[in-house]
Amino acid sequence: MALSATLHNFAIHLADVDRGVYQELELRVARHPSETAEFMLTRLLAYCLEYEEGITFSDGGVSATDEPAVLVRDLTGRLTAWIEVGAPDAERVHRGSKMAERVAIYTHRDPVKVLAQLTGKRIHRAEAIPLYSFDRGFIDAAVAAIERRNTVTISITERLLYLDLNGKDLSTPVAEHRVA
């Protein structure tokens, strides 16, 4: 018998001062049995840090081969942003860069290792693709605070992320690296 996804509910107060985005979000995030808690958290953070009209998690979740973890479509349905999570292979990033105006990668892994696997590979507009990473201790502490029902406050100012997750206060810089 196949294992089913675990649903997590997140009531999020988002205040992204850097971009002028202030939003109340109610998200139901399905965590696939093969998905780590670190990946799910990074997927959620990517969604919030990239939040704009038309953003959504991919329909296929982590098992989708033809979509990123998070994507943005305009009102016509055209793909405008391709947001990868984790350590995507160069072919996915290349394809995403050809399909969308903007591509970004968010990782909970060592950014040096993620960049190393992309270096020297054929990636369309690689110089325009940012890779964002979080402090490893921040990810570990946040994962430990995740429950099935979560109350979250996320504030971003000057690329510093402040997170209150179920009463646990955490912070991390959002480090930006370039793929090329």
Side-chain angles (χ1 to χ4, degrees):
M1 180 162 85
L3 296 174
S4 62
T6 302
L7 284 178
H8 294 272
N9 294 299
F10 293 90
I12 302 170
H13 173 74
L14 174 63
D16 189 336
V17 177
D18 293 346
R19 297 186 309 129
V21 174
Y22 304 93
Q23 199 70 37
E24 298 292 328
L25 305 170
E26 292 286 335
L27 298 175
R28 290 176 47 128
V29 180
R31 180 175 165 206
H32 190 274
S34 67
E35 181 179 19
T36 66
E38 292 83 1
F39 188 96
M40 182 189 72
L41 173 67
T42 305
R43 190 162 55 99
L44 178 72
L45 292 174
Y47 183 100
C48 293
L49 291 168
E50 294 286 334
Y51 184 82
E52 65 180 281
E53 193 69 34
I55 195 166
T56 186
F57 292 113
S58 74
D59 289 336
V62 295
S63 60
T65 58
D66 58 341
E67 289 185 336
V70 179
L71 52 100
V72 180
R73 293 189 187 280
D74 66 14
L75 293 175
T76 67
R78 185 176 56 90
L79 185 63
T80 60
W82 179 284
I83 299 127
E84 289 285 357
V85 173
D89 65 28
E91 185 178 313
R92 282 180 64 89
V93 177
H94 174 72
R95 186 165 36 97
S97 185
K98 292 181 91 173
M99 293 177 70
E101 297 169 12
R102 190 171 55 82
V103 173
I105 303 167
Y106 286 82
T107 191
H108 55 288
R109 298 174 184 240
D110 180 349
V112 173
K113 291 180 180 176
V114 175
L115 289 170
Q117 77 179 27
L118 298 173
T119 301
K121 304 285 177 38
R122 189 179 108 201
I123 300 174
H124 184 67
R125 297 179 301 150
E127 68 285 347
I129 301 173
L131 173 107
Y132 299 107
S133 63
F134 308 100
D135 179 70
R136 185 64 209 186
F138 167 84
I139 294 291
D140 291 342
V143 162
I146 292 175
E147 298 172 3
R148 295 289 293 273
R149 295 194 180 282
N150 302 275
T151 303
V152 183
T153 300
I154 296 176
S155 300
I156 302 105
T157 184
E158 296 180 4
R159 293 310 284 173
L160 286 173
L161 186 148
Y162 299 94
L163 175 71
D164 178 320
L165 177 58
N166 300 322
K168 182 158 180 94
D169 291 322
L170 304 163
S171 65
T172 183
V174 181
E176 182 176 339
H177 316 273
R178 287 287 160 180
V179 170

